[in-house]
Amino acid sequence: MPQREKDLATFQTRVRQMILRFQELKQENQDLYAMIDENEQQIEQLKARLAEQERNYETLKMARMMEISDGDLEGAKERVAGLIRSINKCITLLSEEK
C-alpha cells in the first residue's frame, strides 16, 4: 500500500504541476493576444498617418506646381508687357516718320 500511496501522491503532484503550467501558458497566451491587438491598433494608426502624409504630400506637390505656374505667369506677364512697350515704341516711331 505505501507504494500505491506514493504513486498516487506523485500523480497528484504531476497533475498540480500540469495545472499550474496550463495556467501560466493561458496567461502568456492572453498577454500575447493583447500584444497582437495592440500592435494591430498601432498598425492601423500608422496606416492612417501614412495616408494623411501621402495626401499632404500630394497637396504640397500641387501647391508647388501652382507656385511654379504663378511664377511663370508673372514672367509671361512681364514679357508681354515688354512686347507691348516695344510695339508702342515702333508705332510711335512709325507715326513720327509720316
Side-chain angles (χ1 to χ4, degrees), residues 30-43:
Q30 289 174 346
D31 293 344
L32 290 172
Y33 273 112
M35 283 176 51
I36 288 171
D37 289 341
E38 188 178 307
N39 287 341
E40 286 176 350
Q41 288 176 354
Q42 186 178 13
I43 287 170

Side-chain angles (χ1 to χ4, degrees), residues 62-75:
M62 189 179 303
R64 181 71 177 144
M65 287 170 40
M66 290 176 74
E67 181 180 304
I68 290 171
S69 296
D70 288 346
D72 290 345
L73 183 62
E74 290 298 319

Side-chain angles (χ1 to χ4, degrees), residues 41-77:
Q41 288 176 354
Q42 186 178 13
I43 287 170
E44 290 303 316
Q45 289 173 350
L46 290 172
K47 283 181 180 179
R49 213 168 130 198
L50 176 62
E52 181 182 347
Q53 292 299 327
E54 286 175 344
R55 284 190 305 272
N56 288 344
Y57 173 72
E58 289 300 319
T59 303
L60 181 62
K61 192 166 73 171
M62 189 179 303
R64 181 71 177 144
M65 287 170 40
M66 290 176 74
E67 181 180 304
I68 290 171
S69 296
D70 288 346
D72 290 345
L73 183 62
E74 290 298 319
K77 283 181 181 179

